[in-house]
Amino acid sequence: MFGENRLAEQEVAEGLATRGVAADAAIANLRATGRSKAHLSKDGQLEHVYFPRMPYVKDGNPNTPASIAKLKEYGEYLKQMDVVVFLGVGGSYLGNKVLFDAFGGCHWNTNAKLRHDQPRIYFSGNNLDPVDCNGLVYEVQRLAYLHLSNGRELRLMLVPISKSGTTLETISAFTYFYDTLSKGLNIKLECTVVTDLQAEEDNAPLLQLARKYGWWQFDIKEGIGGRFCVMTDPGLVTMAALGGDIDEFLRGARELDEYCQQVALADNPALLNALLKFLAYQKGRDIEVFMPYSMHLKSLSEWYVQLLAESLGKRLDRNGEVVNYGRTPIVAVGTTDMHAQTQQHQEGRLNKVVQFLEVDNPEEQAVVHNPFTDVPYFAKFEGLDMNKALSIALAANEAALTSDNRYNARFTLPYVNEYMLGQLMYLLMLTVAYEGELADVDAYDQPGVEVYKRFMKEKL
């Protein structure tokens, strides 16, 4: 991020001493009061911002000892299930998919040993796509038939996640699956509802159903926007289904938050990350490529796209002035997109910051041995360590961009576990909060989303 045609250390130091001090004070106030300057709900009412309280488990916070105990009880209950289908869109899906890919992955649903008695997990309700919906219906029906041949029924849990209980994609899919699969041969269907449990029941259809039928119920708390909710019930239900360590996930976030409060501003990773991106934006870098060198962290990039786009993509600043602020986030994954996007990163417009993410100690190893000894070309692959090659590829991409004075940065995780992922995801949330202060935009509303919703409701 530093160098010719990039940032100078002096301007960063000056930024920390001016905007940085003010931003840090604003975030300290947010932690203490739950209030952000000029932030209101879409209805124009006072709305709290409580995401900084998520890592701290205590009564009165989004996570309480009772709510965490209930999630752990739910995880044990789900061991009785064969299949769980999470139904949500946006923040009710993207963070959950990160957890699944990080701790479950592509082999979860086909490898009973990997699952350790936890259920198969699928996601839907994140698009109005009949092909996708029907594909999952066929898969559940196939599993039900296999269970029938073994003399037992398939136990299926549907989990719609919607604060209002009226989200079109989620409710359409939930209704479709419930209607179709409750009539299915050899399927015992149960439901869990994740919604605003404090809502007026007459205006909360999911809550009405949950209370009528006695389904499991989890809360979407006031003050926790969807893109921040992965560390509360809407996200932690997926961690529970995976049998993951909820305590460690929150501990990672908590210790990151505590660290940021204790160190000097220049050592605060969230503030520094925000300031570097903010200063780069002022120099015309209005695109951010988030590029993990790990296929099972690609969904982290997809979650980050929503976090960055909805939080910082704002027409107006908090004084009502037109600023049209925000970087366009792009998903990439190494090494795949070195063969697709890197040409643009390296020689295209000078409008990008490329954010790399590496894992120092991946969980699995793969060493190539040469089975084609009669063809000389393949001798070079003998003993090739794929993890080492992946690290070399990242370093080469980084060096190439730096050699052309193009902005890039690198996050490094020692390894992927609940603690480290909690640290990283919370760091990114806190970074967005800091940048909202630096740019003086409301990082917690999404008025642009309401525009298309209004047109869509009229047409439907």
Side-chain angles (χ1 to χ4, degrees):
M1 298 293 287
F2 294 90
E4 183 181 351
N5 297 325
R6 286 168 283 158
L7 300 178
E9 292 186 13
Q10 181 61 31
E11 66 182 312
V12 174
E14 291 173 357
L16 283 172
T18 54
R19 290 179 182 268
V21 169
D24 193 56
I27 297 303
N29 181 68
L30 179 68
R31 288 189 181 98
T33 68
R35 295 189 179 184
S36 177
K37 173 186 170 184
H39 175 66
L40 300 173
S41 73
K42 64 183 179 181
D43 301 319
Q45 303 299 312
L46 172 66
E47 184 175 64
H48 292 101
V49 177
Y50 285 146
F51 89 86
R53 301 182 183 186
M54 295 186 301
Y56 301 90
V57 179
K58 64 179 183 179
D59 290 335
N61 277 5
N63 291 312
T64 67
S67 73
I68 297 300
K70 182 179 176 183
L71 284 160
K72 292 177 180 178
E73 179 188 359
Y74 183 63
E76 288 298 313
Y77 183 80
L78 289 182
K79 290 181 179 181
Q80 305 174 41
M81 296 292 136
D82 299 298
V83 173
V84 176
V85 178
F86 290 102
L87 302 154
V89 67
S92 299
Y93 159 68
L94 292 164
N96 302 54
K97 188 62 162 54
V98 174
L99 301 181
F100 176 76
D101 287 351
F103 306 120
C106 60
H107 302 299
W108 179 267
N109 289 332
T110 58
N111 188 331
K113 184 178 179 180
L114 177 66
R115 290 199 303 274
H116 299 295
D117 298 322
Q118 302 298 138
R120 290 178 170 87
I121 294 173
Y122 300 92
F123 295 89
S124 190
N126 49 25
N127 202 342
L128 291 169
D129 185 344
V131 175
D132 184 67
C133 278
N134 284 331
L136 184 51
V137 167
Y138 302 151
E139 172 65 6
V140 172
Q141 290 173 335
R142 181 188 71 84
L143 292 170
Y145 180 79
L146 290 175
H147 278 66
L148 179 62
S149 66
N150 291 325
R152 66 184 190 90
E153 62 187 358
L154 180 81
R155 299 196 62 177
L156 168 67
M157 180 71 81
L158 296 180
V159 188
I161 306 172
S162 168
K163 183 172 184 176
S164 66
T166 62
T167 309
L168 177 61
E169 294 88 346
T170 302
I171 301 307
S172 297
F174 171 62
T175 305
Y176 183 69
F177 287 142
Y178 190 92
D179 178 60
T180 303
L181 297 173
S182 64
K183 301 172 184 175
L185 176 67
N186 200 47
I187 296 175
K188 178 177 173 53
L189 178 59
E190 297 186 35
C191 298
T192 297
V193 163
V194 187
T195 192
D196 180 2
L197 299 184
Q198 313 308 315
E200 293 292 333
E201 191 172 316
D202 290 345
N203 300 318
L206 277 182
L207 186 57
Q208 290 178 38
L209 291 174
R211 289 176 176 171
K212 179 179 179 179
Y213 294 109
W215 295 339
W216 281 89
Q217 301 166 36
F218 290 92
D219 200 10
I220 298 181
K221 298 291 200 312
E222 188 262 339
I224 304 292
R227 54 191 179 270
F228 295 92
C229 75
V230 66
M231 293 178 180
T232 57
D233 282 4
L236 295 180
V237 288
T238 296
M239 187 72 92
L242 288 161
D245 194 327
I246 293 172
D247 295 327
E248 281 296 286
F249 187 52
L250 296 178
R251 185 172 74 90
R254 182 171 63 253
E255 292 189 0
L256 187 284
D257 190 58
E258 291 169 343
Y259 179 81
C260 289
Q261 295 179 66
Q262 294 167 4
V263 297
L265 295 189
D267 296 320
N268 179 334
L271 174 58
L272 188 60
N273 186 37
L275 181 62
L276 294 177
K277 305 287 178 60
F278 173 75
L279 293 174
Y281 175 82
Q282 292 187 318
K283 296 176 184 290
R285 274 56 183 181
D286 59 2
I287 291 176
E288 182 173 350
V289 180
F290 197 95
M291 193 170 188
Y293 273 65
S294 168
M295 284 300 293
H296 72 290
L297 292 179
K298 182 180 180 182
S299 55
L300 180 69
S301 293
E302 295 165 344
W303 170 79
Y304 182 65
V305 162
Q306 185 201 21
L307 179 68
L308 189 67
E310 287 193 345
S311 298
L312 299 180
K314 299 296 161 65
R315 181 194 306 272
L316 304 177
D317 67 14
R318 294 187 295 194
N319 298 311
E321 299 294 326
V322 175
V323 292
N324 296 122
Y325 186 81
R327 294 183 301 288
T328 300
I330 302 292
V331 174
V333 64
T335 59
T336 302
D337 286 307
M338 292 175 71
H339 299 266
Q341 296 184 29
T342 290
Q343 174 62 36
Q344 171 58 233
H345 302 169
Q346 189 68 39
E347 295 192 346
R349 291 188 62 196
L350 294 167
N351 62 349
K352 288 172 282 295
V353 173
V354 180
Q355 176 67 73
F356 297 114
L357 170 63
E358 70 171 342
V359 179
D360 254 356
N361 300 289
E363 192 171 308
E364 297 189 18
Q365 304 291 323
V367 177
V368 177
H369 296 291
N370 177 23
F372 307 112
T373 54
D374 53 334
V375 180
Y377 172 81
F378 289 96
K380 69 176 73 175
F381 293 97
E382 174 61 37
L384 175 69
D385 183 326
M386 285 192 186
N387 284 325
K388 184 177 180 180
L390 190 68
S391 296
I392 290 171
L394 188 160
N397 197 354
E398 183 180 61
L401 291 170
T402 302
S403 73
D404 200 37
N405 298 312
R406 290 177 178 254
Y407 286 90
N408 65 92
R410 186 198 300 206
F411 294 144
T412 301
L413 290 180
Y415 35 79
V416 177
N417 62 11
E418 291 91 338
Y419 176 82
M420 288 296 170
L421 189 64
Q423 277 203 357
L424 179 60
M425 295 183 80
Y426 188 80
L427 170 71
L428 294 172
M429 293 184 220
L430 195 54
T431 290
V432 159
Y434 274 120
E435 189 171 350
E437 298 300 332
L438 295 170
D440 199 20
V441 298
D442 187 348
Y444 312 108
D445 66 355
Q446 50 191 58
V449 174
E450 302 306 320
V451 179
Y452 88 77
K453 286 184 178 179
R454 185 176 70 250
F455 284 110
M456 195 169 179
K457 285 179 179 178
E458 290 172 0
K459 292 181 181 296
L460 286 172

